[in-house]
Structure formats: structure tokens, C-alpha cells
Amino acid sequence: MQNTTLEAELKSTILRLKNERQFKRDIINALHDGILVFSQHLSLQIINDAAQSLMCFNPNSDEFFVDLEFFKNKKRTIKFNMKRWLEQVIDAAQNIPKETYIWVKPNCSEEPSTPVLLSAKPILNTDGSFQALLLVVYDQTIYAHSDEQHRILEAAFNSYDGQFITNEKGYIIKPNFSFSAYTGLLPTELNSMTIIHWMKKQVTLKDSIQIEDILKSLLLDKKWSGEVQIHPNPETTFHAVLSLSMLMDNDKNIEHYVGTLQDITDIKESQANVERLAYFDDLTGLPNRRLFIEHLEKDLLHHKRNHTYSALLYLDLDNFKEINDIYGHAVGDAALKQTANTLTELLRAEDLVARISGDEFIILTRYKVLSRDLAAQHALTLASKIIQTLNQDLLIEEHIIPNASSVGIHIIPGSADETPEYLISCADLAMYEAKQRGKNQLYFYQTELTEKILRRREIEEALKHANYDQEFYLVYQAQVANHSQQISAETLIRWQHPILGNIRPDQFIGIAEDTKQILKLGQWILEKAFTQTYQWNQKSATPVHLSVNISPIQFHEPTFVDCILEIQRKTQVNPQHITLELTEGILISNIEDALTKIKALAQLGYQLSIDDFGTGYSSLSYFQKLPIHELKIDQSFVKHLPGSEEDIAIIETIIQLAKSKNLTIVAEGVETEAQVDFFKAHQSAILMQGYFFSHPETAQEFEKQFLTL
């Protein structure tokens, strides 16, 4: 019985959506202006009847730009490349429309060309990313046949906007054709109306504006402009911007009023459509964070009034990064869609699931029970069911992909002052704790986790307002070899905050990357390290070589190589004295981009090192492609030496790989004499770095201990 009801509701919803879509299509087709909507790659998405007629476009054709011919002049001797023009509009990404005047070749070559005005504007998402390209086509035939005796009014009357001029008493003596078309009134009818008479007859003002306010603005500022609704007849309404100006002679006597009516109906409809799309995830069709928060706010009010409880379940796919890296983003997107469908099927109709970001989903249960324990019991049952269901292989494009998920649970509401964002962050933190415990785990939020949230917020704020030169400083840990012609060290960052005290790198680097503060901090580190390298090599009898860690966020910036060049120019450092340390994750996430940048840096003379080599899952698959100079053995392989046969096997494999490409090896975390002896026993270019030789030292301490001046 329930399935029948759901099926009926689904059919009803589908029918309603089809009717709504057809209704919007009918509205668009009712417009006398041509409307076209293109994707970012200029694939035609929407074209109304007016546009088909104006552009002489066959709706059964598959190629918009191939089938049609456009010209820059009436005689059709200069062709107009519309596709290139639209690409320029997209590249400019300006909020104001870009317009051009062209002629369209009719189906019959003997017929005169149709003059049209093209007005193109990108429609952007709330985050500034591209959504679609809106092209409005205005038939300019009525202007092309205007009487030449009106040339004096050409600037005011040659656009597609409705315009008019009044006499000193406010009577409309010169309406243009567009204004007559917009209002549905003949010039003879308008001649007998004042501005106020016309506005009372056809105009609805917005935001509680009164006609008296407009008159006051005209007297004080000589102009007024605002959004209005125009009603040519009881059945028709369109949105417009009405602008009025008052012209006076040298003696401040009123001579004319000039009015402009700009139709923005299409823009308003597009804005409404964009706003609707802003509440849903494009990929999965699920509600997004914004809509989820609005629902959560309402539910919190209900719970607080009725003393009831429900739960938030924050879900993350454990293997999603590997899916993207190994199979590509198309397969990753398909996995997200399958996950969204699975979650929707598992939930009741009244529950809400949203995609928060990436591979993270959040669920709002709506049990509304009177006991926190009962809400927790329901949440535990649901979370266990989700984990069990998602813990199954996915079949995508003939790939069998292992899947797993971690779920954080938070019972809501808690205290009275909790915001939706705070509750979501609590559930997110619980999910992180579950993830730390392994795959297919769930974890209930505990109050002590709040300290982590507060600490993170403190560090975020401190990063935003940090004085880098006063709070941050670099330290240097020596890299030692038996026989070396240079002094080598790794550059490390330290932060001494005036209030929070010493903040460890493992506490602030991840936050800096999440908030993109690492871009500014990373540039500061590079400038300081390059400067220090230059200064030491100016006065040291032995060459000094420094390694600098590069964040993946830094590396993937399009301007990263240019930034390195600018810092090199500024500091005058010799690139051969610098090693840039990259992690395997940088390379795996976008191998082609990484190769291009690494090759460019190598050609400039920089040494390239792969940090923590061997910890990634696909190291060998791309190893031979990389123009690198150094491998760093992760300290996790070193700390059990020489007692671990497994670690010895891994390290010896890495050494053999390095020998095959004549690479330097840096062993991190060397702390015992036995570890030193192990590496000395290998006849290879191995640098050792660790507490056995030196802790990270300040520049002054490092200089005293290692430099020969």
C-alpha cells in the first residue's frame, strides 16, 4: 500500500514538474525578443520561438553555428563570427551585458537582411563560477526604418530600450517605438499623458516607493532610477528599470523630462532560476549546504519549542580519493551519484539528505522523539544500516570498485545557543573521529571534541591576522653524508603566537591549507628560505643547499612557477642551491600538470625531491616519468631499523630505484647509531637527517654549528 502511495506521489511530482517546465517554456516562447542559453562550451541549451524566427534557425538542426550566417554590415560583405564573439564574452566574465549589432541572412538570399541587436551576459553562480551564457536577440527592424528627421534624437532613441521625452509640463511628446511597444500605447495616446498619469496607469513601484518620492528626487538630484513592474494590460506584466532625468536651461527652468525603460524580465527570470539552482547540488540533485541549513534552522526551532530530539549524520566515503586518482573524476562522479541514490532509498520521505562538499553528505533525521537516548538509538540503527549498505563494491563502467564510509552522529538540539553551522561542525568532527578509527566506523559526538573545534577556530583567526615577520621563523635541520661537497639542510617553519604561544606545524599547516592561507604563508617561507640561502652562500666557504617543502595547494596554483621566478629575481638566489620538496599526493592528483611544472622548474635549475617516498599507493607507476633529483625515505620506514626486515626490503628497493636514475636519497628520522651504520653500509648517495645529528636549529645556531665562514 505504501509503495502504491509513493508511486502516486512520484507520478504527481513528475507531472507537476513537467507542467512547470512547459509553463516556463510557454512564457519564454511568448516573448517577442529572442532568448538563447548556451553552456560554457557553447552548446545550445534553450532557444525560444522568437529567436528561431529572428535567427532563421531550423529547430531540427544540430549545428547552430554551422547552419547560420551572420554579417557585420547590411550588404552581407563582412561576415560576423558569432561563436568567437560569444567565446570572448565568456572569457571576459563581466557582470554587464556585451552587445553588438549584426545582420542575419534570411532563408531566401533575395530577401533583405534582418538587423538584430545581440546582448550577451554570463550568468554566474554565487561563488563566481560560470553557470550559463544568456543571449538576448532584439529585432532592430523598427529602428532601421526610423525617419531620418529624428537623427537629433539618435543617441536616445537608437537602443532597444523604451524611451520618451516630455515637454516642460511633463507631457510625453516624443515616445520611441520601443516605449510604445512596451506600454501598448500609440504615440497619439501618450501625447495626452503626463509622466505621472502614465505611471499611475501602468507602473507599480517597488520597495514602498511613492510617486512623491520620485518627484522629490528629480527636484533635488535631477534624476531618479529604480526597478518597476509595467502592466500594458491586465494580463501582461514585465519587469523593467525606469530612469528619469530632468533637463533645465541655464536659468534653471525645466525644459524636458527624459525617461528610459529597460526590460529586465529575462534577467529577473534567470536570477530566479539561478537562485533555485543555488539550493541544489548540480551533480547529485540533492539539496546543498545552503538549503540544508535552512531546514535545520526550522527543525531546531520546532525541537526547542516541543522539547524533542533528532540527529545529524555526517557521512564521508573512505575510498573516494583513491577512486578519483585511479579511475578518474568521471568514475568518481558516478560513485557520488550512486551514493546519493542509495542514501535517498534508505531514508524515509520526511528525512533530509544533502551533499555538503566533495564526498561528504549530511542527513537530518526527523524522528522528533521526546528522549535523547531514543534519538540516539534511532540514529545508531540508521547509521549502521548506511555503513552496511555502502560497504559493497560499486560497479561503474565495468570497474569493480571497493567502497566504505565513515559516519559521525550528533544528537540535536543541545544547548540553546547552538547554531546550525556549529551543529554541523560537531557532526563533522565526530565523522573525523570515526575515520581515525578505521573504515566502516561510526562515532557519536562527545562534548570534549568541542575543544578541538574551538582550538581550530583560534588558529584560523590567528592565521588571518598573523604578523608573519614577528610571529613566524624558520629553522634548519642538517642533512649529513659521509662525503659531501656541500652543506645541506631542510627548512622548517615555526610559529610563536603572542597569545596562543607555540603552535606546532601539525596543528596549523593543515588549517592553513584548508583556508588557503598557505598561499600567503608559503610565499613568505620561500622568500625567507631563498634569502637565507643567498646570504649563507655569499659568506660560506662551502656551498649551502636548502630544501623547502611545497604545499599541494601552492603547487597546484596556476601561477606557481611564475611565483618561484619572481622570488628568485627578488632574492637573487642560485636555483642550484635550492631543492623543492613535493609530496606524492601532488603528483598523483594531476600527473600531467605536475609534469609540466616539474619540467619547467628543473629547466630553471632547481632540484626536485619527492618527500615521504614510498608511502603513496602508486609511486612506481609514475616514477620513471618524473625529472626529479632526490627521494626522501619516510621516517616511518626508518624508525624500526635495523630490526624490521620488511622496512629493510622497502628501503633497499627505494635505493635501487634511486640508483637506476642516479638520484640522491635523504633518510628522515635517523636517531640511533645503528640506523646511521645501516645507511653508511650502502654505497649510495644517501643524506641522513634526524636527531642523531641535529635538532632543527635557528639560523644563528645552524650557522655556528655547520657553516665554515
Side-chain angles (χ1 to χ4, degrees):
M1 183 64 183
Q2 185 179 8
N3 291 336
T4 303
T5 302
L6 290 174
E7 183 178 359
E9 291 178 355
L10 178 61
K11 289 182 177 179
S12 176
T13 301
I14 293 173
L15 180 59
R16 176 174 57 79
L17 292 174
K18 287 183 176 179
N19 290 337
E20 289 179 359
R21 180 181 297 176
Q22 184 59 44
F23 177 68
K24 292 177 181 178
R25 172 64 68 177
D26 291 342
I27 292 176
I28 293 176
N29 283 329
L31 299 174
H32 68 276
D33 294 321
I35 304 296
L36 301 94
V37 178
F38 296 91
S39 69
Q40 187 171 10
H41 302 294
L42 293 180
S43 173
L44 183 61
Q45 306 294 312
I46 297 174
I47 180 168
N48 69 351
D49 293 344
Q52 293 180 23
S53 175
L54 288 170
M55 309 296 276
C56 300
F57 177 64
N58 182 357
N60 296 320
S61 173
D62 295 328
E63 294 290 335
F64 179 80
F65 297 103
V66 173
D67 295 344
L68 303 183
E69 291 188 67
F70 309 104
F71 299 89
K72 290 294 292 182
N73 59 342
K74 186 176 182 180
K75 294 182 178 180
R76 305 201 293 260
T77 58
I78 304 174
K79 286 195 173 184
F80 173 74
N81 191 326
M82 180 178 287
K83 185 174 183 180
R84 183 180 302 168
W85 181 74
L86 293 176
E87 289 173 344
Q88 292 172 354
V89 175
I90 293 175
D91 291 339
Q94 296 179 350
N95 287 327
I96 58 175
K98 184 174 182 180
E99 300 176 346
T100 191
Y101 195 86
I102 67 169
W103 274 261
V104 179
K105 179 182 178 181
N107 295 327
C108 178
S109 58
E110 286 75 23
E111 295 178 1
S113 301
T114 302
V116 298
L117 179 69
L118 304 180
S119 179
K121 177 181 178 182
I123 300 174
L124 307 179
N125 292 312
T126 54
D127 60 358
S129 61
F130 185 90
Q131 173 69 24
L133 179 67
L134 174 64
L135 176 64
V136 184
V137 184
Y138 300 93
D139 187 353
Q140 297 293 285
T141 305
I142 191 171
Y143 296 102
H145 295 99
S146 296
D147 194 331
E148 290 188 0
Q149 66 179 327
H150 297 295
R151 288 185 180 277
I152 193 171
L153 301 176
E154 181 179 358
F157 283 71
N158 230 11
S159 77
Y160 57 89
D161 297 330
Q163 297 175 343
F164 61 85
I165 297 176
T166 77
N167 62 16
E168 73 280 3
K169 295 181 180 180
Y171 282 92
I172 301 172
I173 57 173
K174 282 287 184 181
N176 71 353
F177 289 103
S178 292
F179 187 74
S180 293
Y182 284 141
T183 61
L185 299 171
L186 296 173
T188 53
E189 296 177 276
L190 290 167
N191 291 161
S192 63
M193 293 183 183
T194 64
I195 300 177
I196 295 176
H197 181 194
W198 166 70
M199 291 179 67
K200 287 182 176 180
K201 181 181 179 66
Q202 291 192 339
V203 178
T204 298
L205 301 171
K206 296 184 64 177
D207 301 325
S208 303
I209 297 293
Q210 303 294 323
I211 290 180
E212 291 75 13
D213 300 322
I214 297 176
L215 295 176
K216 183 178 179 180
S217 180
L218 287 171
L219 290 173
L220 293 176
D221 304 324
K222 310 299 185 292
K223 60 184 179 181
W224 177 87
S225 182
E227 284 191 25
V228 298
Q229 289 183 344
I230 307 298
H231 311 283
N233 54 64
E235 292 78 27
T236 305
T237 298
F238 65 88
H239 299 273
V241 173
L242 175 62
S243 299
L244 299 174
S245 300
M246 185 170 67
L247 305 181
M248 306 179 73
D249 61 17
N250 294 333
D251 297 324
K252 296 186 178 181
N253 296 311
I254 299 174
E255 289 187 324
H256 301 283
Y257 292 96
V258 177
T260 301
L261 198 62
Q262 182 182 10
D263 185 359
I264 60 170
T265 302
D266 299 331
I267 296 174
K268 297 292 284 187
E269 289 180 351
S270 297
Q271 288 174 344
N273 186 47
V274 169
E275 184 176 353
R276 181 187 64 81
L277 294 175
Y279 282 98
F280 292 89
D281 175 49
D282 288 339
L283 178 64
T284 64
L286 293 178
N288 61 14
R289 188 186 193 97
R290 180 179 178 182
L291 181 57
F292 186 87
I293 288 176
E294 289 189 7
H295 280 273
L296 182 53
E297 285 177 338
K298 294 177 182 178
D299 278 36
L300 284 175
L301 291 175
H302 178 276
H303 288 308
K304 291 173 182 178
R305 283 196 302 265
N306 298 279
H307 306 288
T308 55
Y309 300 91
S310 61
L312 291 178
L313 278 65
Y314 203 110
L315 181 146
D316 177 89
L317 298 181
D318 294 330
N319 300 320
F320 186 69
K321 183 179 183 301
E322 287 82 352
I323 294 173
N324 269 341
D325 291 341
I326 297 174
Y327 302 104
H329 290 280
V331 174
D333 288 347
L336 291 175
K337 291 179 182 179
Q338 285 195 23
T339 301
N341 294 335
T342 300
L343 292 175
T344 302
E345 292 172 359
L346 289 174
L347 298 176
R348 303 174 306 161
E350 58 267 34
D351 295 329
L352 179 67
V353 57
R355 183 185 177 208
I356 293 293
S357 64
D359 62 330
E360 297 179 350
F361 299 82
I362 191 164
I363 297 167
L364 174 60
T365 66
R366 284 168 165 161
Y367 294 108
K368 299 177 181 176
V369 295
L370 297 174
S371 164
R372 291 183 66 88
D373 291 341
L374 185 56
Q377 182 179 343
H378 286 315
L380 177 60
T381 300
L382 177 60
S384 300
K385 187 176 181 181
I386 289 172
I387 289 175
Q388 181 180 1
T389 304
L390 293 181
N391 186 26
Q392 298 179 13
D393 291 344
L394 301 175
L395 178 60
I396 302 175
E397 295 182 2
E398 299 182 353
H399 300 296
I400 299 177
I401 302 170
N403 194 27
S405 61
S406 300
V407 179
I409 306 172
H410 185 38
I411 306 304
I412 61 170
S415 60
D417 58 347
E418 289 177 337
T419 65
E421 288 285 3
Y422 177 79
L423 293 174
I424 291 174
S425 67
C426 290
D428 184 13
L429 192 57
M431 181 276 296
Y432 180 78
E433 290 294 322
K435 212 172 186 65
Q436 295 298 103
R437 295 165 183 262
K439 296 181 179 180
N440 290 309
Q441 298 292 321
L442 59 85
Y443 190 84
F444 278 88
Y445 172 78
Q446 305 294 326
T447 54
E448 57 264 23
L449 297 181
T450 304
E451 295 179 7
K452 293 185 178 180
I453 297 176
L454 295 177
R455 177 66 172 175
R456 179 183 176 89
R457 289 178 178 174
E458 285 180 339
I459 294 175
E460 284 182 5
E461 287 301 312
L463 275 172
K464 289 179 184 177
H465 306 290
N467 185 319
Y468 287 1
D469 290 331
Q470 294 182 11
E471 299 178 27
F472 290 97
Y473 63 97
L474 299 183
V475 294
Y476 307 88
Q477 188 171 31
Q479 297 172 338
V480 179
N482 290 332
H483 306 287
S484 177
Q485 300 299 318
Q486 66 182 20
I487 299 167
S488 300
E490 179 179 4
T491 306
L492 302 168
I493 182 73
R494 295 292 184 264
W495 186 9
Q496 184 66 35
H497 191 268
I499 298 176
L500 301 179
N502 179 52
I503 305 175
R504 300 193 313 272
D506 62 349
Q507 292 178 319
F508 70 83
I509 292 297
I511 296 174
E513 289 180 331
D514 290 342
T515 59
K516 295 298 182 70
Q517 292 291 325
I518 196 65
L519 298 177
K520 183 178 177 182
L521 180 60
Q523 181 170 340
W524 182 88
I525 293 171
L526 285 168
E527 289 183 4
K528 294 296 182 182
F530 281 23
T531 300
Q532 187 65 75
T533 305
Y534 174 80
Q535 292 174 351
W536 276 343
N537 278 286
Q538 287 295 104
K539 58 184 180 181
S540 174
T542 304
V544 181
H545 194 101
L546 292 186
S547 297
V548 186
N549 291 287
I550 303 299
S551 163
I553 305 300
Q554 270 181 290
F555 184 81
H556 287 305
E557 279 291 296
T559 58
F560 175 70
V561 176
D562 293 335
C563 177
I564 292 290
L565 277 171
E566 175 59 25
I567 297 174
Q568 175 184 323
R569 183 199 61 77
K570 181 178 179 181
T571 62
Q572 296 299 304
V573 73
N574 184 343
Q576 295 181 354
H577 293 152
I578 296 292
T579 293
L580 302 177
E581 293 191 14
L582 311 174
T583 64
E584 288 191 56
I586 287 177
L587 306 167
I588 297 169
S589 60
N590 192 336
I591 183 66
E592 296 303 325
D593 179 65
L595 280 171
T596 300
K597 290 178 179 176
I598 289 175
K599 288 178 180 177
L601 293 168
Q603 289 174 356
L604 292 172
Y606 290 95
Q607 304 290 298
L608 282 304
S609 173
I610 304 301
D611 196 9
D612 301 336
F613 186 78
T615 59
Y617 59 88
S618 61
S619 307
L620 304 183
S621 65
Y622 58 78
F623 176 75
Q624 296 297 333
K625 301 179 182 179
L626 300 176
I628 58 175
H629 309 86
E630 177 184 283
L631 297 179
K632 295 194 75 174
I633 300 176
D634 185 63
Q635 59 185 344
S636 63
F637 300 132
V638 177
K639 64 181 180 180
H640 297 301
L641 292 179
S644 172
E645 293 184 4
E646 182 179 347
D647 289 337
I648 289 175
I650 292 173
I651 290 174
E652 289 181 343
T653 300
I654 294 174
I655 291 173
Q656 290 302 317
L657 287 171
K659 285 183 177 180
S660 70
K661 290 196 70 173
N662 195 26
L663 303 180
T664 299
I665 294 177
V666 178
E668 294 183 305
V670 178
E671 299 183 357
T672 68
E673 188 170 355
Q675 292 168 352
V676 173
D677 292 340
F678 172 83
F679 286 111
K680 283 183 176 179
H682 290 79
Q683 300 301 316
S684 179
I686 298 180
L687 295 173
M688 290 173 283
Q689 176 181 341
Y691 289 169
F692 183 85
F693 302 100
S694 170
H695 284 69
E697 307 284 2
T698 63
Q700 295 80 4
E701 294 168 341
F702 185 87
E703 186 173 310
K704 290 178 183 178
Q705 187 173 353
F706 293 99
L707 265 62
T708 303
L709 304 179

